[in-house]
Amino acid sequence: MFYMSVCRQKITDEAPEIMLLTDPEVESSLLISSDEGATYQKYRLNFYILSLLFHPEQEDWILAYGHDQKLYSSVEFGRRWQLIHERVAPNRFYWSKLGLDKEPGLIHLETSISETQALYVTCKLQNCTDANKGKPFPGYIDPNSLVVQDEYVFVQVSTGGRPIYYVSSRRDVFTPMKLPKYTLPKDLHVISTDENRVVAAVQEWNQNDTYNLYVSEAGGIYYTLALENVMSSMGPEGNVMIDLYEVAGIKGMFLANKKLNNEVKTYITYNKGRDWRLLQAPSADLRGNRIHCMLPYCSLHLHLHVSANPYTSGNIASRESAPGIIVASGSIGAELTSSNVSMLITSDAGNTWRQIFDEEYSVLYLDQGGALVAIRHTPLPIRHLWLSFDEGRVWNKYSFTSSPLFVDGVLGEPGEETLIMTIFGHVSHRSEWQLVKIDFRSIFNRRCIESDYVPWDLHDQGERCLMGVKRVYRKLKPIARCVMGKTYSVTMISEPCDCTESDFECDYGFERRADGKCTPAFWFLPSSMSRTCTTEHTFLNSTGYRKVVSNNCTGGVIEQYTARRQLCPSQAPRGLHLVTSEGKLTATLASNVTFLVFLEEGDGSKTSITVDFGDGNAFTYSNVSSIEDGIKHIYKNVGIYRVSATAENSLGSETVLLFLHITCKPRRGRAGNNMHNTDRHILESIHLSAPFVAVKNKEVNLTVVLSPSQVGTVTYIWWLGNNSEPVITLEGSVAFTFSREGISVVTVQVSAGNTILQDRKTIAVHEYFRSHLLAFSSNLDDHNPDVAEWRLDVSRVIKTSMVQATGVNPEQLLVTVLPGLPTAAEFFLLPDKQLTEGKPDKTATHLDELSELVLSALNQNLVQFTLRPGVQITVYAAHLSAAPLVDTSENHSGSAMLMLLSVVVVGLAVFLIYKFKRKIPGLHVYAAMQDEKEQEMIQSPVSPTDSTPSCSSQRELLTSLEPLDTEPNTQTIECIKPHPRVKFSSDLPTYIDV
C-alpha cells in the first residue's frame, strides 16, 4: 500500500490516466496509472512537491512547486521534470492564457529578491534563461502580491507604508487601480475577473472582520461599491476567506454573507452586484411541515465556504454544466447560525429552495449534473452513499464498501463527464490508505435523447430580463434516468431586452441614494471627469451612471444614462503638480533627473508649461501632451534647487514649486558612515503645526513635530511666505510675521541622516476676522479616517452647507477641519473689503453681524450635509469657547480666545482620552489609486488642511499634543547632509551652494 495526499485524473482517448502523489514524509514519488487505477507505475522525484498546477488545455503539462522554493515543469504528465526557476513565491506562478499571451508555454511567476522586494517575470516553459525572461512590470513589487487571472494581472507596490494596487488589462501597461477616494484599504483580494470585469473585496481602514465589495468597468481601473460589510474568516493556512460565492453556469450571479446590525445574512444578486436581495426560505421542511418565515425578518442563510482541498466538498457547490442547481448547507431564521444546519438545494437559480438532508452532507455532481451523489459529512466511518436523478427530490441509498470507511476525499473525473468516482480513506486511524472506485454506468439504462430535455427560463422572482437579456437553458427532465455523456452541451438561447435604469450602476465617484439615484460623492468633483482634456479635445461627460459590464440590453433609456462625448471646456489651469519620476526630494550629481508634470483640469492642448530648473535653465513647452513622458535635466553642482512649473493659457495660470536636493555621488568605502547610524531611529514622519489663518503683521510660531522624536542631528530648511531663499535652523520652531494679506505657503524640509521629509501648509493672512469652533453629530467620527485629504474635502462641504444656510458670501468664509478625534472644525469670517476698507469701527460691527447670522443658523440645526447615502451630518457651534472669538489687542479683531482654565483642562483630557482610545488600525495605509493630484503626496505627504489655528496658547497646546497618524515617504540622500551654515550665490538666487 502507499500513502496518498493528492490525486489527479487525466482523460485520454483510450482510458483515464490517474496520478497519485505519495506522502513526502514517507517518500517523494509519483504513482501514475494508465488503466483506470488497476496498476500504477512509480516515478521517484529528487525534490518534495508542495503543490501542483496543471495546464488548462495541455493535460500533460504540469508545474510543481518544491519545498525549497524551486519551480519545476513536466510536459510528460509527471514522468520527467526539469527546473524552471529558483526563489519562486508560493502559489504565485501561473500558466499563460491563449489569446492574451504570445505563446502557450509561457509562465507568469513572482520571484523573491528580499523580504520586502519581489519581481514579476515571465518565463518560457523549457527555456527560462535570463535572456528569455520578460519583466512586464518595471521595478520591484511587494512579496506575495502577483495575481494573474484571465485577462488581468495585478501587483502591489508599497510606498512609505501605503499600498498602491496596479492592474494590467489584456497584458497592456500597468495602471493604478482607482478605488473611491477614502477607501484607504488595509487589504485587497481579487474575487472574480469574469466577463471583462473585476470584483474585488477590500478591507477598509475602519473594518476588522468584514470586507466591502467593489466592481470595476471593463478596464479594471475604476471601481464602485457593490456591497458593504461582507463577512470574512481565516482559513486553515492563515489565508483570508471572503463569504462571497460566484455561482457557476450563470454569469453575474453571486451569493454573499453580509453583516448587518451584528447579524449575518445571505444576499443574492443576478446582475453582478447592481441589486441584492435576501433569500426566500423553503415553504416546508423535510417532513412536509410548513415553515413560517417572512421576509425581511426571516430568510434563508447559507454557509459559503468552499473547501481548500479539491478532494473534499465545501459548504456550497454549483457546476457550469448544471445551470440553476446549487447545493449548500444553511439555516433558516433572522441570521446565519452554526446550529440547526441542514442541506438545501435550488433548481431555479435561487428563487426557491428545498431541504434535502437535516444534517451536513458532501454533495457531488455526476454526469455533468444529470445525477447527484451525497456522502454524509461525518468523522465516523460510513459505507453508504445516496444517489438522486431528479435534482434532489428523491434519494436512493447504495452501499459502496463492505467495511465502513473513514472517508477523506472523493476524486471526480475532470468536468464530471464520466460516471466513475474514486473514494479514498482508511479503515482505521492506523491503517493505510484505501481506494474505492465506483462505476455508476450500470445504474443508467440508456443514453439521453432530445426528448429528455426541457427548456428552462432564468429569472429573478419572475423578472426574466437579467443582464439585459432573457436567457433560456437546456435542462434534463427530473424524471429522465439516462446518461448525458460527453457530447452534452448547455444550449442557451438569449434575447436582448430594452434598457432600463436597473441595467446601469453608479459611475466612479457617484453613490446610490435610497431612491436609487446616483449622486456625486462628497469628495468627487464631476468637473474632474474632463481630465482627458489635458491631452484631448473632447471628453466623455458622465451622467453618473455606467452600463453594467457584459449587460446586453439595447434601446430603451440607453441614451439617457450613457456618457456623452463633449468638447473640452475652456478653463484656466487647475491642479498642477510637479514631482520627480521616483517621487523623491533628492537626486545625485550628474544624473538624469526626470520631472513629471500633471495637470488635473484645463485644456492641455492650449496650455503652455514652463519649467524652471532653478539653476538658470528654463524651458517652455507648447502643451501638456508634449511632456507626458517627463522632462529630463542634469544638475552640475551640489545644492538645493527651487524648481518651478507654471501652466498658463488665455484664462489664467498656476505655479507649483519643488525644492530638490542634489547630492554628491556615493563614495566607495563610506559604508562606515551608515554603520555609525544603524543604532539610531529613522525619521518616519513630520508634522508642521501652523495656524490656518494668521493676523497680518503679527508674529506666529511655526513648529515641526518629528516621529520618532529622537533621530540624531536634524536640520530644518524653511521656505516662508513667498520668499525664494530658505531659512536654515537646527531647531524645529521658527517665528515669522506675514506682512501681506492673502494666501501664503510655508514649506519645511527636515534632513535627518539619509532621510529628507517635507510638509507644507497654506496660511490665509488677514488683518481682521472672527472665528469659532464647530462640532458635529457623533456619526461623523465613524467615517473620519483622520487623514489630511479627507479634512480638506469635508471642509469644502461644510463651507458649502454654511453658505447655503446663511447666504454669506463664500469669499468671506473659511472653514478648516482640525486633526484628531472627536471631529472638530473652525470657521473664520472675513470682512467685506468694499464695505469696511479703512473703517475699523465698521469692520467690527460688520463681523459681529456676520457672526450672529452664522451662529443663529448653527443653533437652529440649519447647517447639514450628506457624507454618504444614509449618513446625514449636523454641524453645531461648539460650546467649548466663548463666541464669537475676539482679538482683545488694540489694533486687531482676530482669533485670541479667552477660555476658563477648568474648561481647557477638561476639554483637553477628554480629547486625549478619546484620541488614544480610538486608535484606528491602518491609518498609515493610504490608497494611492486616487485622482492623479495625490501624487504630490509623495513629496508633500501632509496637505494644507493639517494646520491647526493658533488662536490662543490653550489651543496651541492641543495642537502640540496631537498624535501623528500621517506617514509620509522617506527619502534618501546619497551623501553627507548639508551643513546648516549656507552660503547664498549672488548670481543664482534660487541655488544654494553647499
Side-chain angles (χ1 to χ4, degrees), residues 46-116:
N46 59 0
F47 62 95
Y48 292 95
I49 294 178
L50 294 181
S51 62
L52 294 172
L53 182 66
F54 293 83
H55 195 281
E57 285 97 21
Q58 302 290 337
E59 291 186 325
D60 286 331
W61 293 8
I62 310 171
L63 296 177
Y65 186 73
H67 70 289
D68 51 2
Q69 292 188 315
K70 294 180 180 179
L71 186 67
Y72 301 84
S73 68
S74 172
V75 294
E76 302 177 39
F77 200 64
R79 293 175 174 86
R80 187 176 291 108
W81 296 87
Q82 72 176 35
L83 176 66
I84 295 181
H85 206 288
E86 298 181 350
R87 295 179 63 83
V88 176
N91 301 317
R92 301 294 173 178
F93 46 90
Y94 308 86
W95 287 107
S96 60
K97 187 173 178 62
L98 189 64
L100 295 173
D101 295 292
K102 296 181 179 179
E103 51 187 288
L106 197 68
I107 304 168
H108 302 262
L109 51 92
E110 178 187 308
T111 62
S112 301
I113 303 300
S114 66
E115 291 184 359
T116 58

Side-chain angles (χ1 to χ4, degrees), residues 377-407:
H377 195 294
T378 174
L380 302 175
I382 57 175
R383 55 191 297 267
H384 296 102
L385 55 78
W386 282 257
L387 186 64
S388 174
F389 300 93
D390 57 0
E391 299 177 343
R393 291 175 178 84
V394 177
W395 293 89
N396 299 310
K397 187 177 182 180
Y398 294 88
S399 176
F400 67 89
T401 178
S402 57
S403 301
L405 188 70
F406 291 93
V407 176

Side-chain angles (χ1 to χ4, degrees), residues 230-271:
V230 178
M231 287 300 300
S232 68
S233 59
M234 298 299 295
E237 298 181 359
N239 56 310
V240 177
M241 302 174 66
I242 312 296
D243 274 16
L244 178 72
Y245 182 76
E246 183 176 9
V247 178
I250 300 180
K251 304 301 183 183
M253 184 176 174
F254 290 85
L255 292 159
N257 285 332
K258 175 181 177 177
K259 191 175 185 180
L260 182 64
N261 299 325
N262 291 321
E263 292 181 337
V264 179
K265 301 174 182 287
T266 301
Y267 289 79
I268 188 170
T269 179
Y270 295 87
N271 53 12

